[in-house]
Amino acid sequence: MASIVTTEETLPSQELTDGQDGILRRAFVGEYTFETGGYLPQIELAYETWGQLNAEGTNAVLVKHALTGDAHVSRGDSQTPGWWEDFVGPGLTVDTDKYFVVAINIIGGCNGSTGPSSPDEHGNAWGSRFPFITIKDSVRLEARLADLLGVHSWHTVIGGSMGGARALEWAVEFPQRVKNVVVMASTAQATAEQIAFAQVQTEAIRLDPNFAQGDYYANGVRPDAGLGLARRLAHITYRSEAELEARFARNAQTGEQPFVTTRGPRGRYQVESYLDHQATKLVHRFDANSYLVLTEALMSHDVARGYESLTVALARLEKVNVVVAAVNSDRLYFPAQSELLAASLPKPKPVHYIDSPIGHDGFLTDAKQLGPVLTALVFDD
Amino acid sequence: MASIVTTEETLPSQELTDGQDGILRRAFVGEYTFETGGYLPQIELAYETWGQLNAEGTNAVLVKHALTGDAHVSRGDSQTPGWWEDFVGPGLTVDTDKYFVVAINIIGGCNGSTGPSSPDEHGNAWGSRFPFITIKDSVRLEARLADLLGVHSWHTVIGGSMGGARALEWAVEFPQRVKNVVVMASTAQATAEQIAFAQVQTEAIRLDPNFAQGDYYANGVRPDAGLGLARRLAHITYRSEAELEARFARNAQTGEQPFVTTRGPRGRYQVESYLDHQATKLVHRFDANSYLVLTEALMSHDVARGYESLTVALARLEKVNVVVAAVNSDRLYFPAQSELLAASLPKPKPVHYIDSPIGHDGFLTDAKQLGPVLTALVFDD
């Protein structure tokens, strides 16, 4: 049984279009058996919307967030800027005056959708009992929410990084429900290196003595050091070597001395302080189990799973307009992977590039560079 | 007071040239005050030699090992192959029939030279009390051993990765004692990204509950998981993305299932099994504190420290023949860093390339590619 709720109360479905923009809502989407056999008796998905669904139901755009992202894409009526504030909003590339924009927090996360920190039916956090999830699971659950929202077919599904993986999987899983899909800085199948970096990150969390095999919620201490360590590594992969060098070189952090001249902790280089800052920020906004579950989901990412080959899987997109974009300096989702995806489509396409020196995170900071391309190829109605 | 010993007994100095090739020896090089102020009352360096020092003392070659390497470069009279078996030996590029080849285990390591696991004067491991060391410290100590060995001037100092950093520092610190220096897959100054990857590794070790702030030797348990985690990350940086993809793609390890369909640990992808294997191998042969101390030494690497600029530091090499080499697919010590080093020399030089798809480790696996270049430019006497 699927139904729409706020955190505190059930709302009638017309609340969907009467509601304010950019405000977190939640919907029950029922029980679910996961791709690898896990089961949850009741799943909620948290989401935000902007603009209005038109009478024909043809103007809905689904924006997919990345690994530690959330549904707050654009400020809307809230006071808080969204993470794609210069890309999604009134008059912007994804125009909330024209489109009914939806963003959904992924299953397994910690921003309102059911995840490892959510309570089971007895009020205890799922913790280590939370099922293994895949990107396919995430989009299957989101299809239920689309039904609730009255969106039979998306005008566009768009996302970068894990959001790009989710967008592509949406189109492969439900090609009849997606008109356009925009896959930015992502891939059709997680590579050996992406799996390798991910393993280091999941092992970092598990190494933290506060992790307690995932059942730390009642302990008063969380595996912050492990999660922070995972984030340090992830963040290096999100930026380019050239950017790190240009910003930090081997300068010492102000007031610190990386050479210890007496006993005591060594002072830090600027780049260490920067990574510490990234770690601390994430620890304050994210749950370690969610990071684990979503990282393993991304390791599992393979739109070809269940099909004879990648080509066969992508053949399902014959009637979908696929736009592939990459950041030219990306060294986590290399441009070559985007080129491979674009070349493997039923109608091979050129890859569109974000020109940024900073690496993978260019899909966040410079998505607006794709404005003209997307206006011409996708948002042309 | 410096003197030469084996583990069990003091040897007369003529033992140096009468001894067998490729057998570990040790020498006391006295007390030492480190660059950042630490002090040790007595330091031993472990080393191996091959061949004979000629009467003029002009044929000595110093081979420098990398981060977790050791002095066993070539098998010599031992039964154990060395790590540069196809590059250093009778009739090879570094010809032990012609040169007196020396390799020294770095201070701070765990293969015979004084390190954190070595006993203090009361028989207790130094552990957390081991001083902060720098690459400059390491070469200053090795100059004392060179004195003991009767080597006033090296024909050549050669190394890759941290060995390249050590080789370059040797030449900058003692330009009058080095005729040729070969710096492979290395840099004059650790970069922001190298520092960043290093920080993740040192934090991984410190996160291990068995680390005990570095004083774990008497505890019966060692921080193997933390050291293994550090190694996983390091190993990814030692190889190229293309190699990992070609070898492993996203294949499951034989007999394992990366999708959990029932409760219990998730099966591994091949690349995860590979990293597990690399971690396990290192943990059985290396000490976590040594890994920490040497990694922080490498973070500190900067041949310009104490000089007005890199150019001023490298100006000291005016009379040294410098050969710079890089691996074309290296993404830890990027070719651009070798190019910068070569261009900053008093007499700018071209960089010589090892053509290998595997990344940084190409300096180990394919050094022999440099044979013709080194024979022409260095070993031409």
Side-chain angles (χ1 to χ4, degrees):
Chain A
M1 269 303 89
S3 61
I4 303 216
V5 297
T6 63
T7 307
E8 298 301 324
E9 57 176 328
T10 300
L11 296 173
S13 65
Q14 63 267 29
E15 185 69 19
L16 288 168
T17 48
D18 294 347
Q20 290 184 298
D21 286 355
I23 302 297
L24 196 69
R25 295 160 189 281
R26 297 165 75 189
F28 286 115
V29 294
E31 63 177 351
Y32 184 74
T33 299
F34 290 83
E35 192 183 355
T36 62
Y39 170 81
L40 287 178
Q42 178 61 284
I43 290 173
E44 264 185 305
L45 292 181
Y47 64 99
E48 299 189 14
T49 68
W50 297 260
Q52 304 287 330
L53 187 64
N54 63 17
E56 302 79 23
T58 58
N59 72 330
V61 173
L62 181 59
V63 178
K64 317 291 290 181
H65 67 74
L67 183 69
T68 67
D70 59 35
H72 195 59
V73 175
S74 184
R75 77 176 67 199
D77 295 310
S78 85
Q79 297 305 307
T80 313
W83 53 265
W84 248 353
E85 192 70 25
D86 62 355
F87 187 63
V88 179
L92 298 179
T93 304
V94 182
D95 189 345
T96 53
D97 286 341
K98 197 168 165 188
Y99 297 97
F100 174 56
V101 177
V102 178
I104 308 172
N105 283 326
I106 192 168
I107 172 79
C110 51
N111 288 298
S113 294
T114 300
S117 58
S118 301
D120 65 11
E121 60 271 44
H122 306 293
N124 304 311
W126 286 107
S128 65
R129 298 169 299 144
F130 196 81
F132 186 90
I133 71 165
T134 67
I135 305 297
K136 285 187 200 295
D137 287 321
S138 76
V139 305
R140 288 171 187 167
L141 286 162
E142 290 165 11
R144 296 186 185 178
L145 180 56
D147 292 339
L148 283 175
L149 293 167
V151 177
H152 175 68
S153 179
W154 298 103
H155 177 283
T156 298
V157 181
I158 182 171
S161 194
M162 188 179 83
R166 297 166 69 198
L168 185 63
E169 191 69 87
W170 240 103
V172 170
E173 190 76 5
F174 304 107
Q176 72 286 6
R177 298 186 70 170
V178 177
K179 185 178 165 199
N180 302 285
V181 62
V182 182
V183 183
M184 298 162 59
S186 193
T187 180
Q189 304 172 297
T191 64
E193 175 161 303
Q194 288 154 5
I195 293 169
F197 278 132
Q199 192 217 34
V200 176
Q201 294 174 51
T202 58
E203 290 291 312
I205 292 171
R206 294 192 169 102
L207 181 59
D208 190 320
N210 293 337
F211 178 62
Q213 283 77 50
D215 296 312
Y216 50 78
Y217 297 104
N219 294 352
V221 287
R222 286 162 176 265
D224 289 348
L227 177 58
L229 184 55
R231 180 63 164 189
R232 281 169 221 270
L233 170 56
H235 195 80
I236 299 171
T237 67
Y238 297 160
R239 314 301 285 206
S240 70
E241 193 270 343
E243 192 221 6
L244 295 174
E245 191 62 18
R247 286 178 69 175
F248 306 116
R250 48 180 294 101
N251 300 320
Q253 177 70 357
T254 306
E256 300 192 29
Q257 171 53 275
F259 294 126
V260 282
T261 51
T262 55
R263 298 295 309 159
R266 180 178 60 79
R268 298 170 301 172
Y269 295 95
Q270 281 181 8
V271 70
E272 294 184 275
S273 168
Y274 172 70
L275 294 182
D276 287 350
H277 176 67
Q278 299 299 330
T280 301
K281 274 203 307 187
L282 185 76
V283 160
H284 284 115
R285 70 177 178 82
F286 218 76
D287 174 55
N289 273 325
S290 283
Y291 196 94
L292 262 182
V293 162
L294 297 181
T295 298
E296 294 200 330
L298 201 43
M299 293 165 86
S300 83
H301 173 55
D302 181 4
V303 298
R305 190 168 57 251
Y307 302 98
E308 200 178 314
S309 68
L310 178 60
T311 307
V312 170
L314 294 178
R316 293 167 61 85
L317 305 183
E318 195 174 357
K319 294 182 180 168
V320 180
N321 177 37
V322 185
V323 175
V324 180
V327 182
N328 58 355
S329 59
D330 197 330
R331 47 82 170 266
L332 180 59
Y333 290 86
F334 286 92
Q337 290 158 23
S338 294
E339 295 284 351
L340 176 64
L341 167 59
S344 305
L345 292 170
K347 298 167 197 152
K349 298 279 189 68
V351 174
H352 302 279
Y353 280 94
I354 294 171
D355 178 23
S356 165
I358 73 164
H360 182 64
D361 270 355
F363 89 87
L364 288 171
T365 59
D366 291 291
K368 62 184 172 190
Q369 285 185 26
L370 296 174
V373 163
L374 296 182
T375 300
L377 299 180
V378 174
F379 301 114
D380 57 346
D381 41 5
Chain B
M1 269 303 89
S3 61
I4 305 218
V5 296
T6 62
T7 306
E8 299 302 323
E9 57 177 327
T10 300
L11 297 173
S13 65
Q14 62 268 30
E15 184 71 19
L16 287 170
T17 49
D18 294 347
Q20 291 184 296
D21 287 354
I23 302 297
L24 196 70
R25 295 158 189 282
R26 298 164 74 188
F28 286 115
V29 294
E31 63 177 352
Y32 184 74
T33 299
F34 289 83
E35 193 183 354
T36 63
Y39 170 81
L40 286 178
Q42 179 61 285
I43 290 172
E44 263 185 305
L45 292 182
Y47 65 99
E48 299 188 14
T49 67
W50 297 259
Q52 304 288 329
L53 187 63
N54 63 17
E56 303 78 24
T58 57
N59 72 331
V61 173
L62 181 59
V63 178
K64 318 291 288 182
H65 67 73
L67 182 69
T68 67
D70 59 35
H72 196 59
V73 176
S74 186
R75 76 177 66 199
D77 295 310
S78 84
Q79 296 305 308
T80 313
W83 53 265
W84 249 353
E85 193 71 25
D86 62 355
F87 187 62
V88 179
L92 298 178
T93 304
V94 182
D95 188 346
T96 53
D97 286 341
K98 197 169 166 186
Y99 297 97
F100 174 57
V101 176
V102 178
I104 308 171
N105 283 327
I106 192 168
I107 173 78
C110 51
N111 289 298
S113 294
T114 300
S117 58
S118 300
D120 66 12
E121 59 272 45
H122 306 294
N124 304 311
W126 287 107
S128 65
R129 297 168 300 144
F130 196 81
F132 185 92
I133 72 165
T134 67
I135 304 297
K136 284 187 201 294
D137 288 320
S138 75
V139 304
R140 288 170 187 168
L141 286 162
E142 289 164 12
R144 296 186 184 178
L145 179 56
D147 291 340
L148 283 176
L149 294 168
V151 177
H152 175 69
S153 179
W154 297 102
H155 177 283
T156 299
V157 182
I158 182 171
S161 194
M162 188 178 84
R166 296 166 69 198
L168 184 65
E169 191 69 87
W170 239 102
V172 170
E173 190 76 4
F174 305 107
Q176 73 287 4
R177 298 187 71 171
V178 177
K179 185 178 165 201
N180 303 286
V181 62
V182 182
V183 183
M184 298 160 59
S186 193
T187 180
Q189 305 172 297
T191 64
E193 175 161 304
Q194 288 154 6
I195 293 169
F197 278 132
Q199 191 216 34
V200 176
Q201 293 174 52
T202 59
E203 291 290 314
I205 291 170
R206 293 192 169 103
L207 181 59
D208 190 319
N210 293 337
F211 180 61
Q213 284 77 52
D215 296 313
Y216 50 79
Y217 298 103
N219 294 351
V221 287
R222 286 163 176 263
D224 289 348
L227 177 58
L229 184 55
R231 180 62 165 189
R232 281 168 221 269
L233 171 56
H235 195 79
I236 299 171
T237 68
Y238 297 159
R239 314 300 286 207
S240 70
E241 193 271 343
E243 193 222 6
L244 295 175
E245 191 63 16
R247 287 178 68 175
F248 307 115
R250 47 181 295 102
N251 300 320
Q253 177 69 359
T254 306
E256 300 192 28
Q257 171 54 276
F259 295 127
V260 281
T261 51
T262 55
R263 298 297 308 162
R266 179 179 60 78
R268 298 169 302 171
Y269 295 95
Q270 281 182 8
V271 70
E272 294 183 275
S273 168
Y274 173 70
L275 293 182
D276 288 349
H277 176 66
Q278 298 300 330
T280 301
K281 274 203 307 186
L282 185 75
V283 160
H284 284 114
R285 70 177 178 83
F286 218 77
D287 174 55
N289 272 326
S290 283
Y291 196 94
L292 261 182
V293 162
L294 297 181
T295 298
E296 293 199 331
L298 201 43
M299 292 165 86
S300 83
H301 173 55
D302 181 5
V303 297
R305 189 168 58 250
Y307 302 99
E308 201 178 316
S309 67
L310 178 60
T311 308
V312 170
L314 295 179
R316 293 167 61 84
L317 305 183
E318 195 174 358
K319 294 180 180 169
V320 180
N321 178 37
V322 185
V323 175
V324 181
V327 182
N328 58 356
S329 59
D330 197 330
R331 45 86 169 267
L332 179 59
Y333 290 86
F334 287 92
Q337 290 158 22
S338 295
E339 295 284 350
L340 176 65
L341 167 59
S344 305
L345 294 170
K347 298 167 197 151
K349 298 278 189 67
V351 175
H352 302 279
Y353 281 95
I354 294 171
D355 178 22
S356 165
I358 73 164
H360 182 64
D361 270 355
F363 89 88
L364 289 170
T365 59
D366 291 292
K368 62 183 172 190
Q369 285 186 26
L370 296 174
V373 164
L374 296 181
T375 301
L377 299 180
V378 174
F379 302 113
D380 57 345
D381 42 4

